[in-house]
Amino acid sequence: MRVPIIAANWKMNTTPGEAVELVKAMKKKLTGIQGVEKVICPPFVSLTIVKDLLKNTSIRLGAQNMHYARGGAYTGEISPVMLSELCDFVIIGHSERRAYFGETDQTVNKKIRAALELGLTPIVCVGETLDQNEAGETIEVITRQVKAAFSGIEAIEGTVIAYEPIWAIGTGKAAKGDQANAISRLIRSVIAQLYGAQVAADIRIQYGGSVTATNVDEFIGQTDVDGALVGGASLKAAEFVGIVEQTSKLKTAG
Ligand code: PGA
């Protein structure tokens, strides 16, 4: 059985002070929810303070990005070694990083490799643009992104994949549940080709893109969607708690 995983991607939002307030506002309720893995990914500057607040809770910590090198002359960058002391998860290849910061399938591949080597669990993001979607290229794009992401990497146990159609991110226009499920199944089949049936059956695949407490059921109710990567709605404590609560209800009911 795959344990559902809901991750909060705060993006470039919250000062350290605001991060503390937001964690305090959701921590107690989140901790009490069973059967769902909960991950909070604040900005780098708040990782240590949020780590302290999450001590002795069931809520895990993640980063939103990292460099693939372990250290060196890369002014302004954060390495996987640094993160491995602080958190368990790291989001890799988010579409905003691909679109605005020059990330490619190749850098994504290097980052996944580096994360796994240091015991960090990557949350690997893939997703098609609106143009690609409308041109009927979704299957091709997602297949290519998944294959390239894991190219030459021998073992990926524990890795999480987030299917995030770019047209659904921050737009309020979430995908339909059955679309998200179809692409999740596609991703699972690509993983099966690469790593075999057992790894494919175990890997957790999230949907991301305008998930709210109101629409999360549509995704969580699907056979192949194992959680959500949540942006905007994760900045509101009650909304994020609602998403995790709904997930727990649906996944533990069946
Ligand atoms: P959104 O962002 O929930 O605000 O659409 C999701 C994401 O980019 O991870």
Side-chain angles (χ1 to χ4, degrees), residues 9 11 94-96 164 168-172 208-211 229-233:
N9 174 12
K11 309 193 180 184
H94 190 280
S95 61
E96 286 150 16
E164 298 207 305
I169 296 177
T171 58
S210 299
V211 172
L229 182 54
V230 186

Side-chain angles (χ1 to χ4, degrees), residues 1-248:
M1 268 308 288
R2 300 185 294 264
V3 177
I5 175 166
I6 304 289
N9 174 12
W10 289 357
K11 309 193 180 184
M12 198 173 72
N13 297 294
T14 67
T15 64
E18 289 165 349
V20 167
E21 291 311 310
L22 190 50
V23 171
K24 283 186 177 163
M26 49 173 81
K27 179 168 121 168
K28 197 161 168 232
K29 285 203 169 136
L30 282 184
T31 304
I33 305 170
Q34 308 293 321
V36 180
E37 190 157 35
K38 298 142 276 195
V39 185
I40 294 179
C41 305
F44 287 132
V45 293
S46 298
L47 282 174
T48 50
I49 200 159
V50 172
K51 180 182 165 70
D52 282 348
L53 286 171
L54 298 184
K55 215 174 271 169
N56 303 322
T57 74
S58 58
I59 308 163
R60 322 271 300 270
L61 186 64
Q64 300 173 15
N65 176 41
M66 62 173 211
H67 198 280
Y68 47 78
R70 292 190 177 202
Y74 297 103
T75 301
E77 289 294 317
I78 301 292
S79 92
V81 176
M82 298 170 192
L83 292 183
S84 68
E85 237 181 59
L86 292 174
C87 54
D88 299 314
F89 291 83
V90 58
I91 299 171
I92 290 182
H94 190 280
S95 61
E96 286 150 16
R97 299 224 45 96
R98 295 182 194 243
Y100 310 136
F101 302 100
E103 293 214 12
T104 62
D105 286 341
Q106 287 69 39
T107 56
V108 167
N109 175 256
K110 287 185 182 179
K111 290 181 180 197
I112 296 169
R113 190 186 298 269
L116 289 168
E117 278 171 9
L118 282 148
L120 290 160
T121 298
I123 298 176
V124 180
C125 302
V126 295
E128 82 285 3
T129 64
L130 184 60
D131 283 353
Q132 289 166 334
N133 184 282
E134 288 177 344
E137 293 167 7
T138 303
I139 291 177
E140 184 190 325
V141 170
I142 301 300
T143 303
R144 177 177 47 76
Q145 287 180 343
V146 173
K147 285 189 172 164
F150 297 112
S151 173
I153 299 178
E154 241 170 64
I156 60 160
E157 273 78 359
T159 296
V160 176
I161 298 176
Y163 168 54
E164 298 207 305
I166 295 168
W167 46 269
I169 296 177
T171 58
K173 288 188 207 140
K176 295 273 171 272
D178 57 350
Q179 290 176 309
N181 203 43
I183 301 303
S184 298
R185 291 176 76 136
L186 166 74
I187 293 170
R188 215 176 283 289
S189 74
V190 176
I191 294 298
Q193 280 172 37
L194 297 173
Y195 297 100
Q198 192 59 54
V199 174
D202 290 344
I203 200 164
R204 292 182 291 177
I205 302 174
Q206 298 174 313
Y207 165 76
S210 299
V211 172
T212 64
T214 312
N215 70 14
V216 68
D217 287 14
E218 180 168 349
F219 303 104
I220 294 303
Q222 305 290 333
T223 54
D224 282 75
V225 178
D226 307 309
L229 182 54
V230 186
S234 72
L235 293 165
K236 297 175 219 143
E239 188 78 17
F240 188 66
V241 168
I243 290 170
V244 178
E245 268 169 357
Q246 284 304 110
T247 303
S248 171

